[in-house]
């Protein structure tokens, strides 16, 4: 009997030309990796990657890096890249806690957080991706005029995210509690998997766009 070699997702990711694992040195090397000096935008907690793949497809003059903690989820994005590769998109499998080890100071132009895990228990607040602890990490990798865009349907997480801004010296340019009802903000909006799921059952989507208070 011929046995099929079914690779595990971790193995596929470590061999993929589209993804980096945590042990690979990328800090300060993104221009070299992409072969140009185009701006770099990242999505942290990209899931299966529909949002970042669509952005990369629509904006070939911008480089995108999707960050995801779990191999099994990231695998879906890699399969999509194998079917239809994009030169301006790469992935890192990692916990975003270590993000400052993967990008050097000011290397990133924009950060997207979409439907981040809520970590509802108070003792886990530091794990929330829009927390002040994470905003400090983003402060290092983001260039001075860089912005962060955050979308969620979780009102508690969004309220927490707004409260965190002054603590970490950030200010909001835009805040909405019902993105899909705002025609101006919806211009060019790219739906994430979770956005489609939650908006289709009637959940309003909150969004902020923030920059540093300087
Ligand atoms: N952004 C996608 C969307 O909107 O459809 C996926 C949202 S899903 C609720 C959150 C994703 O973030 C999960 O795939 C999870 O594994 C990932 N994630 C959560 N915390 C993370 C961290 N610290 N570092 C990297 N990825 C993380």
């Amino acid at each position: 009997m011929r046995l099929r070699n079914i690779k595990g997702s971790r193995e596929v990711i470590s061999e993929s030309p589209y993804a980096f694992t945590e042990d690979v040195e990328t800090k300060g090397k993104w221009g070299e990796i992409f072969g140009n000096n185009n701006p770099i935008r990242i999505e942290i907690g990209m899931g299966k990657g529909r949002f970042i793949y669509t952005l990369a497809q629509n904006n070939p003059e911008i480089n995108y890096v999707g960050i995801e903690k779990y191999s099994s989820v990231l695998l879906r994005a890699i399969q999509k890249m194998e079917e239809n590769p994009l030169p301006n998109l790469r992935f890192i499998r990692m916990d975003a806690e270590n993000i400052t080890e993967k990008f050097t100071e000011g290397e990133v132009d924009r950060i997207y957080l979409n439907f981040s895990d809520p970590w509802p228990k108070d003792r886990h607040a530091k794990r929330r991706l829009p927390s002040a602890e994470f905003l400090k990490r983003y402060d290092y990798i983001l260039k001075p005029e860089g912005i962060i865009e955050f979308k969620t349907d979780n009102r508690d997480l969004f309220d927490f995210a707004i409260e965190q801004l002054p603590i970490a010296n950030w200010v909001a340019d835009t805040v909405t509690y019902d993105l899909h009802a705002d025609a101006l903000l919806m211009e060019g909006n790219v739906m994430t998997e979770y956005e489609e799921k939650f908006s289709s059952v009637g959940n309003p989507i909150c969004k902020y766009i923030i920059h540093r208070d300087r």
Side-chain angles (χ1 to χ4, degrees), residues 51-60 64 80 84 86 88-89:
F51 173 83
I52 198 153
Y53 188 93
T54 308
L55 287 185
Q57 215 168 21
N58 293 349
N59 303 288
Y64 293 90
K80 201 164 175 186
N84 188 12
L86 300 176
N88 60 331
L89 177 60

Side-chain angles (χ1 to χ4, degrees), residues 43-47 67-70 73 94-97 114-117 129 134 192-195:
E43 183 186 11
I44 303 182
M46 55 168 267
I67 290 153
E68 172 54 48
K69 190 159 58 169
Y70 292 112
V73 189
M94 69 177 295
D95 189 321
E97 255 181 33
N114 292 315
F115 297 80
S116 307
D117 292 342
L129 294 179
F134 271 96
T192 80
E193 272 115 354
Y194 274 70
E195 184 173 358

Side-chain angles (χ1 to χ4, degrees), residues 16 22-23 29 35 106 109 115 117 143 150 162 171 174 179 204:
S16 171
E22 205 151 341
D23 50 313
K29 294 188 172 168
D109 169 76
F115 297 80
D117 292 342
K143 64 186 189 190
F150 171 48
I162 295 283
V171 284
T174 301
L179 172 65

Side-chain angles (χ1 to χ4, degrees), residues 142-160:
L142 203 58
K143 64 186 189 190
E145 68 279 18
I147 59 167
I148 303 176
E149 299 195 10
F150 171 48
K151 294 195 276 191
T152 183
D153 70 320
N154 187 313
R155 183 60 192 263
D156 287 345
L157 179 64
F158 193 68
D159 289 344
F160 167 84

